[in-house]
Amino acid sequence: MPEETVTDVFEDHRPVLFGVAYRMLGRVADAEDVVQDAWLRWSGADRTQVREPRAFLVRITSRLALDRLRQVQARRESYVGPWLPEPLPTDLAGPVPDGAERTVFTESVTLAVLVVMESLSPLERAVFVLREAFGYPYAEIAGTLDRSEAAVRQLAGRARRHVAERTPRYEVDPERQRALTERFLAAAAGDDLPGLLDLLAADTRLVGDSGGRAKAPLRVIESADKVARFLAGVARSAPAGLEFTVREINGGVAALVHLAGVPDSVIQLGVRDGRIQTVYIVRNPDKLGALATR
C-alpha cells in the first residue's frame, strides 16, 4: 500500500479512533496519545492481512486505550478533589465526526455520562463504549478484547444498567440551555443571590475539579442555598478582566471563562424542568490548555 494511501486511510478513521479513546479515558491528551500510538502500529503493520482497516484500527485503539485506562485509574485514586472529564469542544471541526456520527458522538460524551462511566471497571467501560456508542456486534467486541462473547454480553448488560440508573436526565434543548446559562452567568457575576436561588433546584449540586491546581471546592457542594452562597462569594473575590464565551462543549452548552486571554475554567449546567440540577466547574489548568487552541 503506497505511503499516501496508508496515511489517508488512517486519517479517514481518526475521528472514530479519537471518539473511542476519549470516551474510554476522559482526557483529550490521553486520547490523542493513544491515537498516535495506533498510527505507529498501523504504519508498521503487515497490512496485506488487513481486510477491514476500520475494524483493525478500532481493535488496536481499544486495546491501547484499555491499557492506558488501567494506568490512569491508579493515578486518579490520589486525585485531589472531585474528578471531571477534560472538556472537549464539539462545535468545531477536528476530532469530532460530521453528520450522523457526530450526533452519536455528542450524545455519548456529555459530562453526566462520562462521570458515571468513571465508576465502571476498565473492561465494562470498553465494552460499553464499543457497544452503546458504536454499535459493534458482541462477537466483534469479544475478539477485540480477547474475551468470550458470553462474558462480553454480561459486561455490556451490567454496564448498561449501571449507566442508565445513575445518569441524570437533563434537558438538552440548546436554546433553553443557552438562555439559562446566560442568566446564570449574569446572576453569578453580579453577586445576585436571589437571582441565583431563583435558577437553582432545591437539591442542586456543584462539582468542582481543580486537581489541587486552582481554587475550587474539594467536596461536592449540595443544596441551592450553599451553592448560591458559594458562587456569590466567588463573584465577590473574582479578579477583574474575566471574559465569558458560550460554547458547545461535550455536546452541550457551556461557558468558557478566560482571564487575560487564557482559559481559566469551564462551567456547564445540568438542567431539568427549567431548573439547574448540577453545576460542573473544571478549573484544573492541565485540562484547559487544549481549549486555547480550539
Side-chain angles (χ1 to χ4, degrees):
M1 185 181 296
E3 186 61 33
E4 183 179 356
T5 304
V6 171
T7 302
D8 290 345
V9 168
F10 186 86
E11 291 302 320
D12 285 345
H13 297 298
R14 181 183 287 272
V16 172
L17 306 183
F18 179 87
V20 170
Y22 176 76
R23 272 174 281 210
M24 286 182 62
L25 296 163
R27 284 204 62 186
V28 172
D30 286 334
E32 289 177 340
D33 285 347
V34 163
V35 172
Q36 181 60 26
D37 288 344
W39 158 250
L40 295 176
R41 299 285 183 94
W42 167 250
S43 61
D46 178 7
R47 291 177 297 277
T48 60
Q49 303 301 315
V50 178
R51 294 184 178 180
E52 298 181 9
R54 176 174 171 135
F56 179 83
L57 289 168
V58 168
R59 184 180 305 114
I60 292 174
T61 302
S62 300
R63 290 177 176 176
L64 289 169
L66 186 57
D67 290 342
R68 178 70 65 96
L69 181 59
R70 288 166 173 152
Q71 296 168 12
V72 300
Q73 280 198 332
R75 296 201 303 267
R76 288 177 192 171
E77 291 177 1
S78 59
Y79 195 80
V80 178
W83 186 94
L84 290 172
E86 180 176 348
L88 176 70
T90 49
D91 54 357
L92 300 174
V96 182
D98 293 324
E101 282 191 356
R102 186 183 191 282
T103 301
V104 175
F105 184 94
T106 54
E107 288 177 350
S108 57
V109 294
T110 64
L111 290 184
V113 169
L114 290 175
V115 167
V116 172
M117 285 171 59
E118 277 297 298
S119 58
L120 299 176
S121 72
L123 268 177
E124 286 173 338
R125 187 161 181 163
V127 171
F128 183 83
V129 167
L130 293 173
R131 179 63 183 174
E132 300 302 317
F134 290 94
Y136 281 102
Y138 290 113
E140 192 168 338
I141 298 172
T144 295
L145 302 178
D146 290 328
R147 294 294 188 279
S148 69
E149 185 173 341
V152 165
R153 287 179 178 275
Q154 186 176 44
L155 287 164
R158 189 160 60 235
R160 190 184 305 113
R161 288 191 298 272
H162 182 94
V163 173
E165 291 169 359
R166 291 166 175 78
T167 301
R169 296 291 180 260
Y170 293 145
E171 296 174 11
V172 295
D173 180 79
E175 293 304 319
R176 294 182 64 180
Q177 285 276 356
R178 176 179 286 270
L180 193 56
T181 298
E182 290 174 346
R183 289 174 59 196
F184 171 84
L185 292 173
D191 189 10
D192 180 3
L193 190 60
L196 283 170
L197 288 171
D198 188 52
L199 298 173
L200 302 176
D203 57 349
T204 296
R205 301 167 69 248
L206 185 147
V207 184
D209 178 341
S210 70
R213 303 281 311 283
K215 289 185 177 180
L218 298 180
R219 292 183 177 83
V220 176
I221 299 176
E222 303 189 48
S223 86
D225 182 68
K226 291 180 180 179
V227 169
R229 292 185 184 281
F230 170 80
L231 292 169
V234 169
R236 287 191 290 271
S237 61
L242 288 177
E243 298 180 346
F244 300 87
T245 304
V246 177
R247 295 277 305 273
E248 183 191 294
I249 293 178
N250 287 85
V253 176
L256 174 57
V257 185
H258 282 87
L259 177 61
V262 177
D264 176 83
S265 53
V266 167
I267 303 171
Q268 191 167 58
L269 309 176
V271 178
R272 185 174 66 243
D273 299 328
R275 296 259 180 176
I276 297 170
Q277 299 288 329
T278 307
V279 180
Y280 297 108
I281 302 178
V282 180
R283 298 209 64 219
N284 185 340
D286 290 342
K287 298 183 179 182
L288 300 174
L291 290 169
T293 58
R294 295 178 185 272

